[in-house]
Amino acid sequence: MAIEISNLNYVYMAGSPFEKHALQNVNLTISDGEFVGIIGHTGSGKSTLIQHLNGLLKPTSGTICVDGVDITAKGADLKKLRQKVGLVFQYPEHQLFEETVYKDIAYGPKNMGLTQDEIDERVREAMNYVGLTDKYMNRSPFELSGGQKRRVAIAGVLAMRPDVLILDEPAAGLDPSGREEILTQIKALYLARKMTVLFVSHSMEDVARAAGRIIVMNRGTVAMDGKPSEIFSHAKELRSMGLDVPQITQLAASLAERGIPIDNNIYTIERAKATILMLLAQKEKGAK
Amino acid sequence: MLKDITLGQYFPIDSPLHRMDPRTKILSLILLIVAIFLANNPWAYVLAAAFTLLVVALSKVPVSMYFRGLKPIWFVIIFTALLNIFFTPGTKIYLFGYRTPMTWEGLILAGKMALRLVLLIISSSALTYTTSPILLTDGIEKLLKPLAKLGLPTFELAMMMSIAIRFIPTLIEETDKIMKAQKARGADFESGSVLHRVKALAPMLVPLFISAFRRADELAVAMESRCYQGGEHRTRLNEIRFHLIDAFAGLLMLAFFAAVIILRIIL
Ligand SMILES: Nc1ncnc2c1ncn2[C@@H]1O[C@H](COP(=O)(O)OP(=O)(O)OP(=O)(O)O)[C@@H](O)[C@H]1O
Ligand SMILES: [Mg+2]
């Protein structure tokens, strides 16, 4: 499921004084099976961009091809597209509406016109993916905690078995352990289902840990696009866009400045720990 | 569709209409609406249309914005026009062999009603485009002041109104977001039978109500925690005042109103 975006422009409220050129000339290719992190300051156009990918927004100009099919063409089958490209919105728990968790997750598959058995299978599978046990099935989604609600909402999209999963700030507003769990589950899901994942976040730490490729948005344009190590070597540019490199990368940079021979592409705590321990061991050996 | 709802939307530019006192504009709008309904002959209609166009021109708001405001009600306008054309008794015109005949009277009535509706929407939009919600409710409150003596809670009414107006765009935005989220899960709000479409609304309305209640709750808490207290001793940062331009506008308005009355009497 490759996605090709060419010369995409989008203007909100064209022709009014509130007109806003939210996307300017965006060109991107996302290949099958990639895990892409999208970051950018508030209002940089991240949400606008991803809403184009399942046809919720129509480009002001430009084209988008998903799996070789131009989805901006007239008469494109949007319903089918939305099954293939699952989109989880920012604060998805605000869209829950059914009496029970089970029914809410079943809403997507039901709209696809599946049989009862298939729906049941998919609901159970999706709940399993997000770590909700069977005892939640008949609870009302409104009496769950924020983090649990969010999982129900994510399961609601997963139950459609999309090939591409797009998540807009899936960890926003959760406590550190909630963030951690959601991110770990998304990563596990990515490995298990071999889907393409696009993941919007404000947090460099989260993106650094999960993504194999990072796209940096700035004022409606793609400012940088590359591997995490490439992106984080441009700390100054990132800062000028109101972003920053992960704290652990900053630490590594300060260590390097003091003459410690540390790698310059450290962006996760695990990696930093391993490297520092290795350096310490070398030092000890040298002392002996 | 949702983006077409422009009522209650303020258009922040500078124009003679923007500078007028909200009270003048509210009273003028009421007079204009009464005049539109009193008009009963072609000249009065021409006059009312011309006056409305003058208001549109003075507001400096692009004409396209007014058209956008009309969009959601085109259907109503055309529907009532069709009803009028075919169901008004009078001189029959058989055209294209229709079973139910059109009538001249119906045609004229349809035209009148359509014109009235359009003028009504345009003139009300002119008020909301040129007056910020805060000024609007300030104006309404001041105008209702005399009724406070009769025990009407004018301040509270005005507050409720400004909150309601304030939240129209928020609710529209929220609706838009929820609709998109449900569409992403395969919801279909646009096709199918009427029953199907009504049923399809539940996934949208339930979250919308929940969020509206949540917002109301949050707003109440926020107001209370800032010691909000309405009523008598509250003062304002910007007092509204009448200026020379209001006198001009008032005179023009009265002249127009008088003209419509005179046309009604003499013709
Ligand atoms: N419905 C809308 N109507 C008008 N303007 C909008 C709308 N949605 C977004 N915008 C504007 O478009 C720009 C991009 O918004 P977008 O929501 O894509 O940003 P974002 O990168 O997702 O930001 P955040 O990190 O805050 O979610 C912003 O300047 C925003 O004000
Ligand atoms: Mg966003």
Side-chain angles (χ1 to χ4, degrees), chain A residues 41-48 50-51 90 168-169 200 202:
Chain A
H41 58 84
T42 293
S44 57
K46 305 182 294 289
S47 302
T48 309
I50 58 172
Q51 284 173 41
Q90 220 160 346
D168 196 351
E169 302 259 3
V200 174
H202 270 124

Side-chain angles (χ1 to χ4, degrees), chain B residues 73-131:
Chain B
I73 61 145
W74 271 130
F75 175 73
V76 178
I77 294 177
I78 290 170
F79 188 68
T80 45
L82 284 179
L83 283 187
N84 280 325
I85 290 175
F86 288 106
F87 294 103
T88 313
T91 327
K92 295 183 165 82
I93 343 168
Y94 287 95
L95 264 184
F96 319 117
Y98 277 121
R99 193 73 58 76
T100 30
M102 299 201 265
T103 60
W104 274 120
E105 283 77 359
L107 217 54
I108 290 164
L109 188 66
K112 271 193 212 166
M113 293 303 284
L115 186 66
R116 270 183 189 172
L117 271 173
V118 169
L119 291 183
L120 220 62
I121 298 283
I122 291 182
S123 51
S124 324
S125 308
L127 175 66
T128 51
Y129 284 158
T130 62
T131 319

Side-chain angles (χ1 to χ4, degrees), chain A residues 35 37-39 183 187 199 201 203-214 227-229 231-232 244-249 266-270:
Chain A
F35 195 122
I38 302 176
I39 46 174
L183 291 174
K187 187 90 201 205
F199 161 90
S201 176
S203 155
M204 277 291 177
E205 263 82 14
D206 294 351
V207 171
R209 205 172 35 180
R213 171 180 171 194
I214 297 180
K227 288 208 183 72
S229 54
I231 301 290
F232 295 142
D244 216 336
V245 297
Q247 280 177 348
I248 200 71
T249 311
I266 285 176
Y267 39 85
T268 62
I269 294 187
E270 290 75 37

Side-chain angles (χ1 to χ4, degrees), chain A residues 164-185:
Chain A
V164 180
L165 180 65
I166 305 175
L167 303 117
D168 196 351
E169 302 259 3
L174 296 182
D175 61 13
S177 71
R179 290 180 85 87
E180 182 71 38
E181 273 177 53
I182 290 269
L183 291 174
T184 315
Q185 270 158 5

